[in-house]
Amino acid sequence: MKGLFVVVLARNEEHRLPDCLRSAAFAERVVVIDAGSTDESVAVARAYGAQVERHDDWQGFGVQRTRALAHCQDARYVFFLDADEEIAPPLQAEIADIVAHGEEACWTVGWLQVAFGRPLTGMASAGGMPRLFHTARLLGFEGAVHEQAQLRPGTPAHRLHHKLLHHSYDTVRGSLKKLSQYAMLGASKRAALGQRGGVLRGLASALAAFFRLYVLRRGFLHGGPGFLYCYLLAQECFFRYAALEYDRDLLNDRVER
């Protein structure tokens, strides 16, 4: 699709990159921004025809996405894809149609979560994030995690109808590592805003998150994988506030990706 670049952030993602990059191959160019991989991620990316750029000093998702824009100067549109995500064919077609029409806007996409090998198709969709941008409207990103796009004033915002496949949790071991990283980054973000932490606040946040995910968004329909997905996200909420109280002096936004 001429004019469309897909940007993938990666670090030690050799096992995930093949599916991710195959799903992005419809774009004119795929740009992998590598954050110092020590596995075969760079070799895999190049084998799939991606342009690889190294930015080893990881400073958070916002900084890394902003850096990527310097390698997309020939693009009219850029779609940001994570290594644990795939663009399914219906979404590919929708993106291609947008690029063909040429509107200067941004588009939010939702996720179909895949947990422990099972698509959680019965869960109600969450909000999603802006991922597709006309480059004339995008200035950069801010935030170490759950970063915010900085757009030119008056940029129209739309929502894509189809969803990204998000392989959020593959293994228990990997899930616990991800939980720790995101809990600490979330605590750091709240510390910078002057928020308070504590066990009771963490419990309240975790219980509310679990009820919302497991009951209101119907995670209970998916057996063990559905329970684990909801429980792990609730635990992230709890430890975010626990770290905010007990690790406040240790918090920073440089938690390893």
Side-chain angles (χ1 to χ4, degrees):
M1 189 69 217
K2 188 170 179 58
L4 172 68
F5 285 19
V6 173
V7 171
V8 180
L9 305 187
R11 184 176 187 274
N12 294 334
E13 300 281 8
E14 63 179 6
H15 64 296
R16 284 176 164 165
L17 278 174
D19 289 339
C20 171
L21 297 178
R22 274 194 292 265
S23 79
F26 72 104
E28 177 182 355
R29 187 180 305 174
V30 179
V31 181
V32 172
I33 307 298
D34 185 80
S37 293
T38 56
D39 66 359
E40 294 301 312
S41 292
V42 170
V44 169
R46 288 175 176 156
Y48 279 85
Q51 172 185 335
V52 179
E53 304 292 343
R54 300 289 297 265
H55 292 281
D56 295 354
D57 57 328
W58 175 259
Q59 297 180 40
F61 287 92
V63 170
Q64 206 76 339
R65 293 198 197 282
T66 301
R67 288 168 169 170
L69 296 178
H71 307 291
C72 299
Q73 294 179 354
D74 296 331
R76 289 190 299 119
Y77 289 86
V78 59
F79 187 95
F80 286 90
L81 182 67
D82 288 345
D84 60 357
E85 297 170 342
E86 296 176 47
I87 308 174
L91 181 56
Q92 294 176 12
E94 186 177 5
I95 293 170
D97 185 64
I98 289 170
V99 173
H101 282 81
E103 182 182 0
E104 294 190 8
C106 73
W107 289 262
T108 292
V109 65
W111 293 282
L112 171 57
Q113 302 292 345
V114 181
F116 304 98
R118 181 172 177 177
L120 305 183
T121 53
M123 285 193 71
S125 180
M129 290 182 65
R131 288 293 191 87
L132 177 63
F133 305 89
H134 193 288
T135 53
R137 312 301 301 182
L138 179 60
L139 302 176
F141 292 86
E142 290 184 356
V145 66
H146 299 147
E147 61 283 355
Q148 300 294 315
Q150 305 302 302
L151 303 171
R152 296 191 183 280
T155 298
H158 307 297
R159 186 174 184 86
L160 294 163
H161 298 292
H162 297 93
K163 298 177 183 178
L164 278 172
L165 293 176
H166 183 207
H167 298 270
S168 49
Y169 298 119
D170 292 333
T171 65
V172 172
R173 180 176 181 176
S175 300
L176 291 174
K177 181 178 179 181
K178 182 176 181 178
L179 185 160
S180 173
Q181 292 172 333
Y182 275 76
M184 298 302 288
L185 285 168
S188 175
K189 182 177 180 178
R190 285 160 178 77
L193 295 172
Q195 296 184 12
R196 295 170 56 195
V199 169
L200 293 179
R201 288 174 180 268
L203 281 173
S205 178
L207 289 171
F210 186 81
F211 180 77
R212 182 178 67 253
L213 293 164
Y214 195 67
V215 179
L216 299 182
R217 288 182 52 200
R218 304 189 296 272
F220 65 87
L221 294 175
H222 299 286
F227 177 85
L228 278 173
Y229 172 79
C230 300
Y231 183 74
L232 286 163
L233 283 177
Q235 286 291 297
E236 181 186 320
C237 293
F238 171 78
F239 285 110
R240 184 184 301 150
Y241 284 96
L244 189 55
E245 174 72 16
Y246 296 104
D247 287 2
R248 183 176 285 269
D249 293 339
L250 303 175
L251 296 175
N252 59 68
D253 60 4
R254 299 294 298 275
V255 177
E256 182 182 355
R257 193 190 189 290

